[in-house]
Structures are given as structure tokens and as C-alpha cells.
Amino acid sequence: MHTNRTFTMIKPDAVENGHIGAILEKINAAGFTIKAMKFTQLSQRDAEAFYAVHKERPFFGELVEFMTRGPIVAAVLEKENAVAEFRTLIGATNPEEAAEGTIRKLYASSVGENAVHGSDSDENAAIEAAFHFSGREIF
Ligand code: CMP
């Protein structure tokens, strides 16, 4: 995959709280183009596989429970330097540390329930996009 792409999920907390539209608005306003998108729900097996890198962390069980409790929006986004630009837009993992105006500052409630995911590298963006989308679902 191209290095100008990243992968995101609008997480169950933000979906439950009715923030899908506002978050997509901010993503568009920041100049990202949507290359793929779906409204879906992770099974326990999906979440354990997606977050396998965190499986030894003390919060892993909580993370899987949270990410499977309701639907999410998964998307592939494009912009120059997408991974870094998107991480700036969403803010720090912990909303208490997130900069003013960032998506997590506005919509996240805690370090666990933090409204959105953003890939941390081009390599992971490609892996995560491929986890959710087939080639014919990315435009
Ligand atoms: P994200 O960066 O999308 O992917 C890893 C997730 O693990 C992170 O978002 C949080 O949702 C969650 N996470 C990270 N740190 C903690 C923590 N200390 N307690 C609970 N959940 C966490």
C-alpha cells in the first residue's frame, strides 16, 4: 500500500455517543480523502487478532471487551504523510493529554475509550487496512 494512506476506526464509544458525523466532518476538513469505509462490528476473535501486539498488556481483556461491544466505522484515509497527519488530528492516546481541538480531546472519555484509532506506521496502516478490506473495497 501507498505511504500516503492510514487506517482508522471510529470506536464503539464514539458510535454510541452519536459522534460519527462530527468525526467524519473533522477528517474531511483536515484534507483526508476516504478510500474505503464500512460500518461493522468486531467479533472477539477479530479484536484479539487486530490487537495481538497488545496481548501481554494488562489492559488487553478490557480493550477486546470494549472494541467488541458495539459497531465501529472502519476506514482507509489518504493524505500526504497520512499516518503522522492523522495522529496529529486525533491527539494523544489519553484524552487528558490530547491537544485542544483534536478528535480525542473533543470526543474521547478515557485512555481506553478513546473514540478513534489511527495507525502508528505505514507498515501497520497497510496491515490494518488489509485486515478490514479486500482490494476491491479500496478505491
Ligand atoms: P489505540 O492506539 O487505537 O490502540 C491500542 C489501544 O489500547 C488504545 O488505542 C487504547 O484504546 C487502548 N489502551 C492503551 N493504553 C491503555 C490503558 N492504559 N488502559 C486501557 N486501554 C488502553
Side-chain angles (χ1 to χ4, degrees):
M1 175 173 287
H2 235 248
T3 58
N4 57 0
R5 288 184 181 180
T6 192
F7 171 79
T8 186
M9 291 182 286
I10 301 176
K11 298 186 180 185
D13 59 327
V15 173
E16 285 159 14
N17 293 325
H19 296 315
I20 295 174
I23 291 171
L24 292 179
E25 186 67 37
K26 284 197 75 76
I27 289 171
N28 274 327
F32 290 88
T33 306
I34 293 166
K35 307 303 288 184
M37 177 171 281
K38 69 173 68 158
F39 193 46
T40 185
Q41 183 162 359
L42 297 176
S43 67
Q44 169 131 356
R45 195 172 159 186
D46 292 333
E48 286 173 358
F50 187 89
Y51 286 113
V53 63
H54 295 303
K55 71 173 181 293
E56 304 304 333
R57 303 278 195 100
F59 57 80
F60 184 67
E62 192 184 318
L63 174 60
V64 169
E65 192 176 331
F66 163 56
M67 286 302 297
T68 57
R69 83 170 182 218
I72 60 160
V73 176
V76 176
L77 305 175
E78 189 167 84
K79 184 183 180 179
E80 200 174 318
N81 198 21
V83 166
E85 288 282 309
F86 193 69
R87 287 175 77 81
T88 300
L89 178 67
I90 65 179
T93 304
N94 185 345
E96 284 175 23
E97 293 160 16
E100 288 301 326
T102 60
I103 290 174
R104 284 172 172 159
K105 184 70 175 186
L106 290 166
Y107 302 116
S109 50
S110 68
V111 66
E113 302 203 5
N114 63 0
V116 282
H117 169 79
S119 304
D120 64 4
S121 65
D122 287 344
E123 186 191 10
N124 283 335
I127 292 168
E128 292 169 3
F131 185 91
H132 284 271
F133 299 100
S134 69
R136 61 181 290 278
E137 294 175 305
I138 302 176
F139 299 94

